Amino acid sequence: HMEVGGNNKEYPGKALSNFSPHPFVFRGFQCNSMEGFLQGLKFKSPEMQAEVFKLVGMAANKKGKPKNWYREQTLWFQGHPIKRDSQDYQDLLDEAYDELYKNEGFRKALEASGNANLVHSIGKSKITETVLTEREFCSRLMKLRDGVKLCKHRVEFAEQQKISSED
């Protein structure tokens, strides 16, 4: 097996880390690393989210870490709530990894991993504790490496209705 990201300092394991600077575009938004994208999903504000998407590595991680998304188990895309345990969230991850796969540096690193079983030993396994479990991460990498297009269903977000509340 091959350790991905985390403690691996060798190529290609290190290059497959979500912290690596592999830019991609997700629905018109510039993302400079998968970590920036994942941390950005913790922000309800579309403007703030777009800024976090541009961050790389530890800067992205530090920006998202204080967000208490896990209390409500809700993440966000452009102001639309997404439940962490939903199929919509899985579809969004699939679409993001398909977009990341278009990055040549990422693709070459993935190909260089041969047919090793990819693991991320520092990754968490409970979806209630992380925006990306070890299984969600490594299984997507291995499917992409095997030539599988991940996104089978693009999540469409209805225009949010303005609801006036009488607090």
Side-chain angles (χ1 to χ4, degrees), residues 119-160:
V119 296
H120 185 59
S121 58
I122 64 169
K124 294 182 173 147
S125 60
K126 292 184 180 154
I127 67 167
T128 54
E129 297 173 358
T130 179
V131 293
L132 190 74
T133 65
E134 179 196 16
R135 177 189 293 263
E136 287 170 329
F137 177 36
C138 293
S139 68
R140 280 178 172 84
L141 295 185
M142 290 185 284
K143 283 177 187 170
L144 285 169
R145 186 181 63 195
D146 293 343
V148 176
K149 186 174 187 299
L150 299 175
C151 186
K152 292 170 180 50
H153 179 258
R154 184 182 151 107
V155 183
E156 298 298 340
F157 296 99
E159 282 304 307
Q160 280 190 303

Side-chain angles (χ1 to χ4, degrees), residues 109-122:
L110 198 53
E111 288 163 7
S113 71
N115 52 14
N117 183 37
L118 303 180
V119 296
H120 185 59
S121 58
I122 64 169

Side-chain angles (χ1 to χ4, degrees), residues 29 52-54 60 62 68 74 87 102 117 119 128 138 141 166:
F29 292 92
V52 178
F53 282 170
K54 295 175 188 167
K62 283 191 172 128
N68 291 323
T74 301
Q87 185 58 49
K102 294 175 183 174
N117 183 37
V119 296
T128 54
C138 293
L141 295 185
E166 320 248 333

Side-chain angles (χ1 to χ4, degrees), residues 8-152:
N8 192 339
K9 305 288 181 243
E10 305 288 314
Y11 184 86
K14 182 176 174 52
L16 292 173
S17 165
N18 287 327
F19 280 52
S20 293
H22 296 304
F24 64 99
V25 176
F26 183 83
R27 297 194 182 194
F29 292 92
Q30 180 62 44
C31 301
N32 290 329
S33 69
M34 184 54 77
E35 188 68 16
F37 174 77
L38 293 169
Q39 296 299 330
L41 296 176
K42 296 177 180 180
F43 290 83
K44 186 175 182 177
S45 157
E47 296 75 24
M48 189 65 192
Q49 182 174 79
E51 291 308 307
V52 178
F53 282 170
K54 295 175 188 167
L55 298 177
V56 172
M58 197 46 86
N61 186 272
K62 283 191 172 128
K63 195 76 173 168
K65 217 165 193 63
K67 299 298 281 181
N68 291 323
W69 68 273
Y70 47 85
R71 284 196 196 136
E72 312 255 330
Q73 292 295 305
T74 301
L75 295 147
W76 303 88
F77 183 70
Q78 290 303 289
H80 297 277
I82 308 163
K83 282 296 184 194
R84 174 60 179 92
D85 65 355
S86 68
Q87 185 58 49
D88 280 354
Y89 185 69
Q90 295 303 315
D91 291 344
L92 207 67
L93 290 177
D94 284 345
E95 187 181 345
Y97 273 94
D98 279 344
E99 294 302 326
L100 174 63
Y101 189 68
K102 294 175 183 174
N103 178 290
E104 189 181 5
F106 172 79
R107 213 170 42 250
K108 283 187 170 162
L110 198 53
E111 288 163 7
S113 71
N115 52 14
N117 183 37
L118 303 180
V119 296
H120 185 59
S121 58
I122 64 169
K124 294 182 173 147
S125 60
K126 292 184 180 154
I127 67 167
T128 54
E129 297 173 358
T130 179
V131 293
L132 190 74
T133 65
E134 179 196 16
R135 177 189 293 263
E136 287 170 329
F137 177 36
C138 293
S139 68
R140 280 178 172 84
L141 295 185
M142 290 185 284
K143 283 177 187 170
L144 285 169
R145 186 181 63 195
D146 293 343
V148 176
K149 186 174 187 299
L150 299 175
C151 186
K152 292 170 180 50

